[in-house]
């Protein structure tokens, strides 16, 4: 037995030596503690983060580590890319924003990730925007968003919790090939403008899988210029539901295409599956599929609103609108907190076309049947559809 043991351990040592000689997988970890971070939640660790980022970013196969068990206070930071392909930002500890809005250096974005390519942000930690002092200031002035990826390409965000952002939590502009996997986002249902995931500005090819989002605004908001957005197994609530738009504000041109929500559970949200456009816009939103969605006590479970207006003064009706077409709702069931569970309020001049309702079962939470409302909405149904469809054929 003793001989056998020696042979095995010899082999193991040879294997290790060979591995070192060929230089395989010599992944290097850059721990922010080594760069002077204190992690007591009081000391400002911003500089340590910047220094560690600069040291690690262009080292092949590097990991930048925020270790478990500590809380790091950081002010506004810009994480500038590109870095070496495969760079990993591993957040296992907690990262907090300053609690006092007056001590923020910049009031637009807390953590900005710029032009990163083949990059992963992951871990078991919590990124906390300390938003409560911003929410209580009311709706005036600039309120920063927590995390923004600008110009990201092949980015994966995985496992983290992102909580209490002053405004939007996780946002993207001009980004492509993005995966958001098992991320949790949380803020109180009463917090204003706290969208969970916000996609904007010519962003494309997103996979948002197994995320749990509860905030005071949209769980996922798909803005102008977005295309190829796939969402699977989303848990949403509280919040304003899943939203395409708003589009066409201020007579602008909009373009959204190929959005697929495949599996979601919405609980007590103020909208379910919503497409919202302003009067006077132009362009189109099309190729949108919502399927396998369960609703519990949701207001406006299915809604297209081409009269969207959140300005303080009423919006007048106009003849142009963003054209909505080819939208499918398949396998949508559960309960509505409002009498009208299916609402298609389309432009009287442009109209919605090619709307499909199939396998719909939405009843009132209080019991009894719900209703449908249609204005200038055309499409087809495949039974069962309850409440009965009012689409024109
Ligand atoms: C990493 O390398 C890229 C490409 O050469 C460069 O643009 C970037 O500034 C470098 N970043 C850092 C932090 O050194
Ligand atoms: C909306 O997106 C389209 C297509 O990407 C772009 O042409 C248009 O300028 C954008 N509109 C606004 C208001 O940004
Ligand atoms: C409707 O949208 C779906 C999903 O994006 C797409 O596969 C299909 O080709 C579109 N149909 C038409 C007629 O554009
Ligand atoms: C705009 O048109 C819609 C649909 O016809 C109508 O319900 C609404 O009252 C109109 N709004 C205004 C401000 O005229």
């Amino acid at each position: 037995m003793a001989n056998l043991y020696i042979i095995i351990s010899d082999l193991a040592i040879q294997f290790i030596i060979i591995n070192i000689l060929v230089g395989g997988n010599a992944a290097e970890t850059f721990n922010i503690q080594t760069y002077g971070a204190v992690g007591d939640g009081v000391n400002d660790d911003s500089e340590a983060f910047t220094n560690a980022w600069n040291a690690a970013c262009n080292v092949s196969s590097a990991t930048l580590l925020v270790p478990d068990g500590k809380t790091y206070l950081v002010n506004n930071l810009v994480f500038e890319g590109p870095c070496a392909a495969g760079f990993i930002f591993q957040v296992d500890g907690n990262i907090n924003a300053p609690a006092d809005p007056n001590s923020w250096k910049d009031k637009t974005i807390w953590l900005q990730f710029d032009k990163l390519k083949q990059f992963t942000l992951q871990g078991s930690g919590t990124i906390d925007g300390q938003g409560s002092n911003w929410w209580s200031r009311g709706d005036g002035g600039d309120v920063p968003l927590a995390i923004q990826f600008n110009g990201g390409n092949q980015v994966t965000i995985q496992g983290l919790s992102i909580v209490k952002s002053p405004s939007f939590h996780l946002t993207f502009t001009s980004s492509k090939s993005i995966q958001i996997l098992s991320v949790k986002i949380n803020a109180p249902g009463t917090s204003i403008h706290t969208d969970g995931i916000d996609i904007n500005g010519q962003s494309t090819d997103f996979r948002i899988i197994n995320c749990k989002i509860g905030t005071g605004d949209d769980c996922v908001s798909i803005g102008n210029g977005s295309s190829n957005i796939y969402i699977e197994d989303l848990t949403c609530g509280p919040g304003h539901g899943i939203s395409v738009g708003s589009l066409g504000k201020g007579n602008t041109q909009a373009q959204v295409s190929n959005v697929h929500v495949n599996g979601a559970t919405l609980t007590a949200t103020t909208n379910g599956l919503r497409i919202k456009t302003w009067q006077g816009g132009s362009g189109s939103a099309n190729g949108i599929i919502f399927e396998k969605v369960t609703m519990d006590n949701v207001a406006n479970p299915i809604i297209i609103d081409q009269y969207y207006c959140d300005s303080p003064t009423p919006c007048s009706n106009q003849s142009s609108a963003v054209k909505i077409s080819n939208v499918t709702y398949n396998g949508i069931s559960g309960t509505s907190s409002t009498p009208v569970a299916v609402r298609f309020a389309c432009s009287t001049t442009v109209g919605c076309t090619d709307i499909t309702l199939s396998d719909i079962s939405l009843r009132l939470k209080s019991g009894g049947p719900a209703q449908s409302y249609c204005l200038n909405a055309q499409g087809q149904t495949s039974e069962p559809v309850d409440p009965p469809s009012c689409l024109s054929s």
Side-chain angles (χ1 to χ4, degrees):
M1 277 313 259
N3 276 344
L4 184 62
Y5 178 78
I6 288 164
I7 290 166
I8 289 171
S9 61
D10 252 12
L11 280 173
I13 287 166
Q14 276 180 34
F15 178 77
I16 289 166
I17 289 170
I18 288 167
N19 239 351
I20 290 169
L21 287 177
V22 299
N25 293 333
E28 202 177 335
T29 296
F30 295 74
N31 188 327
I32 53 158
Q33 296 272 132
T34 315
Y35 292 83
V38 176
D40 61 358
V42 178
N43 185 69
D44 184 338
D45 289 329
S46 305
E47 206 181 316
F49 274 68
T50 302
N51 291 341
W53 178 273
N54 289 339
C57 157
N58 277 323
V59 174
S60 163
S61 305
T63 296
L64 174 57
L65 176 66
V66 177
D68 190 5
K70 287 185 184 270
T71 297
Y72 298 90
L73 172 68
V74 301
N75 214 305
N76 303 90
L77 291 173
V78 179
F79 297 109
E80 195 74 45
C83 296
F87 184 39
I88 297 172
F89 193 176
Q90 180 79 28
V91 180
D92 292 330
N94 303 322
I95 301 177
N96 282 5
D100 178 3
N102 295 320
S103 56
W104 285 56
K105 283 192 296 191
D106 174 279
K107 301 205 182 345
T108 55
I109 302 166
W110 177 33
L111 305 174
Q112 171 150 14
F113 292 87
D114 227 18
K115 298 190 279 300
L116 283 153
K117 199 169 179 220
Q118 297 183 35
F119 171 74
T120 300
L121 172 63
Q122 65 179 17
S124 54
T126 297
I127 298 179
D128 184 338
Q130 299 278 321
S132 59
N133 291 323
W134 294 93
W135 309 325
S136 59
R137 285 162 36 132
D139 203 355
D142 294 337
V143 180
L145 47 84
I147 299 177
Q148 182 175 72
F149 280 86
N150 175 41
N153 183 356
Q154 300 173 59
V155 170
T156 299
I157 299 156
Q158 180 159 229
L160 294 165
S161 295
I162 305 167
V163 305
K164 294 186 278 184
S165 173
S167 68
F168 300 173
H169 284 77
L170 179 58
T171 71
F172 298 86
T173 61
S174 309
S175 293
K176 61 178 179 183
S177 301
I178 307 294
Q179 300 201 73
I180 307 170
L181 312 174
S182 305
V183 168
K184 294 195 186 77
I185 298 179
N186 260 293
T190 51
S191 59
I192 50 172
H193 297 322
T194 49
D195 284 8
I197 297 172
D198 204 87
I199 303 169
N200 253 298
Q202 286 67 54
S203 290
T204 187
D205 297 331
F206 277 61
R207 291 173 59 81
I208 302 173
I209 314 283
N210 191 35
C211 291
K212 290 188 170 49
I213 303 174
T215 71
D217 208 316
D218 297 335
C219 286
V220 179
S221 167
I222 298 164
N224 182 45
S226 305
S227 60
N228 301 342
I229 311 295
Y230 179 79
I231 301 174
E232 191 179 282
D233 293 335
L234 176 73
T235 303
C236 167
H240 296 181
I242 300 169
S243 191
V244 174
S246 64
L247 303 173
K249 186 176 184 174
N251 302 84
T252 55
Q253 207 220 330
Q255 183 61 56
V256 171
S257 63
N258 197 12
V259 174
H260 187 181
V261 175
N262 183 19
T265 303
L266 282 73
T267 306
T269 51
T270 60
N271 292 281
L273 311 170
R274 176 162 61 157
I275 302 174
K276 52 183 178 184
T277 73
W278 294 72
Q279 286 286 297
S282 61
S284 67
N286 58 39
I288 299 172
I289 303 172
F290 297 106
E291 60 182 337
K292 298 190 208 117
V293 179
T294 306
M295 313 256 185
D296 180 13
N297 200 23
V298 167
N300 312 309
I302 291 177
I303 178 168
I304 295 178
D305 179 8
Q306 294 219 273
Y307 298 88
Y308 183 72
C309 173
D310 75 352
S311 74
T313 51
C315 304
S316 58
N317 284 336
Q318 300 182 41
S319 54
S320 74
V322 177
K323 169 79 183 166
I324 295 173
S325 62
N326 189 12
V327 182
T328 297
Y329 303 87
N330 175 37
I332 316 292
S333 65
T335 58
S336 175
S337 63
T338 51
V340 177
V342 179
R343 174 182 292 273
F344 298 125
C346 299
S347 160
T348 50
T349 47
V350 178
C352 305
T353 55
D354 196 15
I355 309 290
T356 301
L357 286 169
S358 128
D359 189 15
I360 309 292
S361 170
L362 291 165
R363 309 280 291 175
L364 296 186
K365 178 71 177 177
S366 55
Q371 296 157 30
S372 299
Y373 169 87
C374 292
L375 175 65
N376 211 14
Q378 179 277 326
Q380 48 282 322
T381 60
S382 166
E383 298 297 332
V385 173
D386 177 26
S389 166
C390 55
L391 294 167
S392 63
S393 51

